[in-house]
Amino acid sequence: DAMVIQNPRYQVTQFGKPVTLSCSQTLNHNVMYWYQQKSSQAPKLLFHYYDKDFNNEADTPDNFQSRRPNTSFCFLDIRSPGLGDAAMYLCATSRDRGRWNTEAFFGQGTRLTVV
Amino acid sequence: AQSVSQHNHHVILSEAASLELGCNYSYGGTVNLFWYVQYPGQHLQLLLKYFSGDPLVKGIKGFEAEFIKSKFSFNLRKPSVQWSDTAEYFCAVNEGNNNDMRFGAGTRLTVKP
């Protein structure tokens, strides 16, 4: 059974048109992450939530925002997608903070195309 | 800034060959270390992890990794690969109690039958 679910699997959006990617989890984990992965590159951490506490990476562009309305759901909003934002977006969860709880569980990703 | 380096971009092996994929990280403090695998069309899955204790860690599907603190390395090994091991392999590190897991660029493994 899928535990971290991302919708949609494939998303096509127009240049400059806001787009939202969604992630849900059935694990009841406290931490949720968003990563951006471009072809042949490492997944890059954009931000993560610990419960409702939002943690942005210093180099994440302002164009990327996130919402976590409850434990189960987390959204990635791209306010004005550019061609350079085309990538695979990965959602992940981990149980909690603390050394022993940081194993991440990944969804299948959403591949975003910007036209 | 903390970084994770995987030296091999693409590795091609024949079945039954031995595998070693390199991973080095730059952070000098307490680290948690992971190897993830991504089979074609599937999500990232955990192969193995190291938090503390025995530096030789055994994971699923016959994989193991050795943490060598003095070399800042966490290399992945398998004595005899199978065609079904064809996948992309990612090394990942996070620092101490932090949740900011960092990934290497990945190594694509192709196993020829």
Side-chain angles (χ1 to χ4, degrees):
Chain A
D1 289 336
M3 296 179 289
V4 182
I5 303 161
Q6 292 188 242
N7 284 305
R9 292 287 307 279
Y10 301 91
Q11 175 75 56
V12 180
T13 191
Q14 289 181 331
F15 182 94
K17 183 175 181 181
V19 65
T20 295
L21 309 182
S22 72
C23 177
S24 64
Q25 54 129 340
T26 59
L27 298 163
N28 204 34
H29 282 175
N30 275 332
V31 189
M32 294 187 78
Y33 309 80
W34 280 103
Y35 286 85
Q36 179 193 64
Q37 186 181 19
K38 296 187 177 180
S39 181
S40 302
Q41 296 184 23
K44 179 182 178 301
L45 182 63
L46 295 174
F47 24 60
H48 75 272
Y49 274 96
Y50 173 72
D51 196 12
K52 295 181 180 180
D53 181 22
F54 179 68
N55 298 270
N56 199 26
E57 292 296 301
D59 57 353
T60 298
D62 292 340
N63 197 27
F64 291 87
Q65 303 286 320
S66 187
R67 296 170 284 135
R68 189 179 185 186
N70 53 52
T71 300
S72 300
F73 286 87
C74 195
F75 300 98
L76 170 62
D77 300 308
I78 308 176
R79 293 194 295 191
S80 182
L83 297 178
D85 297 327
M88 177 73 84
Y89 289 87
L90 302 172
C91 175
T93 73
S94 61
R95 188 167 57 232
D96 210 322
R97 277 182 176 161
R99 240 191 121 184
W100 316 106
N101 296 313
T102 55
E103 174 187 342
F105 296 80
F106 284 84
Q108 289 195 292
T110 295
R111 183 167 296 283
L112 178 69
T113 300
V114 181
V115 298
Chain B
Q2 179 187 347
S3 68
V4 183
S5 300
Q6 291 183 243
H7 314 297
N8 311 103
H9 183 63
H10 189 190
V11 172
I12 303 172
L13 295 173
S14 299
E15 274 195 314
S18 64
L19 169 73
E20 181 159 1
L21 302 181
C23 174
N24 288 90
Y25 61 92
S26 63
Y27 183 65
T30 301
V31 291
N32 308 315
L33 301 158
F34 306 83
W35 275 97
Y36 282 85
V37 61
Q38 189 169 29
Y39 298 104
Q42 296 189 25
H43 61 280
L44 283 161
Q45 302 171 46
L46 184 71
L47 266 182
L48 46 78
K49 60 189 176 187
Y50 172 81
F51 290 136
S52 69
D54 188 344
L56 184 61
V57 179
K58 294 195 184 298
I60 61 171
K61 304 187 180 187
F63 285 91
E64 64 179 30
E66 185 175 11
F67 171 50
I68 303 179
K69 189 173 182 180
S70 61
K71 295 185 178 180
F72 298 90
S73 70
F74 190 56
N75 291 355
L76 181 71
R77 300 195 292 249
K78 185 170 183 179
S80 177
V81 295
Q82 301 173 313
W83 176 78
S84 58
D85 293 324
T86 294
E88 187 123 21
Y89 293 81
F90 292 92
C91 180
V93 179
N94 70 344
E95 307 171 21
N97 294 322
N98 293 337
N99 286 97
D100 53 349
M101 186 179 291
R102 313 284 174 175
F103 282 81
T107 298
R108 183 187 304 173
L109 173 65
T110 301
V111 180
K112 295 180 177 179

